[in-house]
Amino acid sequence: AGWLQILAYGLFCEGTGGFGYNSDGQMSDPGNCGWKPPLLATSDPVLRKKRLNAELANGRLAMMAIIGIFFQDGLTGSPWGDWALYTASPLRAFENELGVQAPYGFWDPLDFTADGNKENFLRRRAVEIKHGRVSMYACIGYLVPESIGKFPGYLSPSEGIKFSDVPNGLGALSKVPAAGWA
């Protein structure tokens, strides 16, 4: 009976424009169903646009989330991700390793460890730590000149480049002398 209700509702929405969607040939604003929920309805067009943008962003996130929930439910039999029900997972091989954190446990979205090879896992973990450290230093190097300022004096006295001449961020690459790239 439940599937028939879902099918009937879907047919109703597609056939009639259900609850105001497209009932006027989309002459009204997109998403305007004609009802005004308390505390959300507004006549201010700027605020309405902001709220519709937020609704679109949240809707996109919800679409991704429901696909993840469907996948999780199909994989483990539970939409809440009860990994105890999925004992055949190759991810279990590394579940007690460094970096495994709640609530996700061992996270390998590209299945690099699907083969369960311990040597490959340890090499990738070392590379991950190295790249993480470089990225943290890069963030500090990007943010510190913005918040504290730049060093006084010359970066390259022979080229006449002062620290204050170098822009922040990726723009700094334009100030590197040709000899610096060699």
Side-chain angles (χ1 to χ4, degrees):
W3 286 108
L4 289 175
Q5 289 173 336
I6 292 171
L7 181 63
Y9 175 73
L11 290 173
F12 169 75
C13 288
E14 290 296 322
T16 66
F19 301 114
Y21 290 107
N22 297 327
S23 61
D24 61 356
Q26 201 57 52
M27 302 301 275
S28 61
D29 294 332
N32 188 354
C33 299
W35 56 280
K36 304 208 179 295
L39 305 175
L40 293 177
T42 181
S43 58
D44 180 12
V46 174
L47 185 57
R48 178 170 168 70
K49 182 178 179 180
K50 179 181 175 185
R51 288 179 179 171
L52 282 174
N53 279 330
E55 184 178 4
L56 278 170
N58 289 330
R60 290 170 183 159
L61 181 62
M63 287 186 270
M64 294 301 293
I66 194 64
I67 294 302
I69 290 170
F70 288 157
F71 180 79
Q72 189 73 15
D73 188 28
L75 192 63
T76 67
S78 167
W80 306 111
D82 187 357
W83 284 102
L85 301 174
Y86 186 51
T87 57
S89 173
L91 302 178
R92 297 243 183 232
F94 305 110
E95 197 136 300
N96 295 320
E97 294 291 338
L98 176 70
V100 175
Q101 298 175 356
Y104 303 108
F106 181 70
W107 190 67
D108 181 20
L110 299 178
D111 274 344
F112 286 130
T113 58
D115 62 357
N117 186 315
K118 181 87 170 173
E119 290 175 22
N120 288 341
F121 168 79
L122 292 175
R123 184 184 64 78
R124 288 188 183 105
R125 180 52 45 92
V127 169
E128 179 184 15
I129 290 170
K130 179 180 73 171
H131 290 167
R133 289 174 179 165
V134 169
S135 296
M136 287 186 277
Y137 280 124
C139 288
I140 289 171
Y142 201 101
L143 297 174
V144 166
E146 291 282 341
S147 59
I148 295 175
K150 299 178 181 173
F151 292 121
Y154 284 89
L155 173 63
S156 175
S158 63
E159 295 286 328
I161 301 173
K162 295 181 180 179
F163 284 104
S164 60
D165 295 338
V166 179
N168 291 335
L170 295 175
L173 296 176
S174 68
K175 295 293 184 178
V176 176
W181 291 106

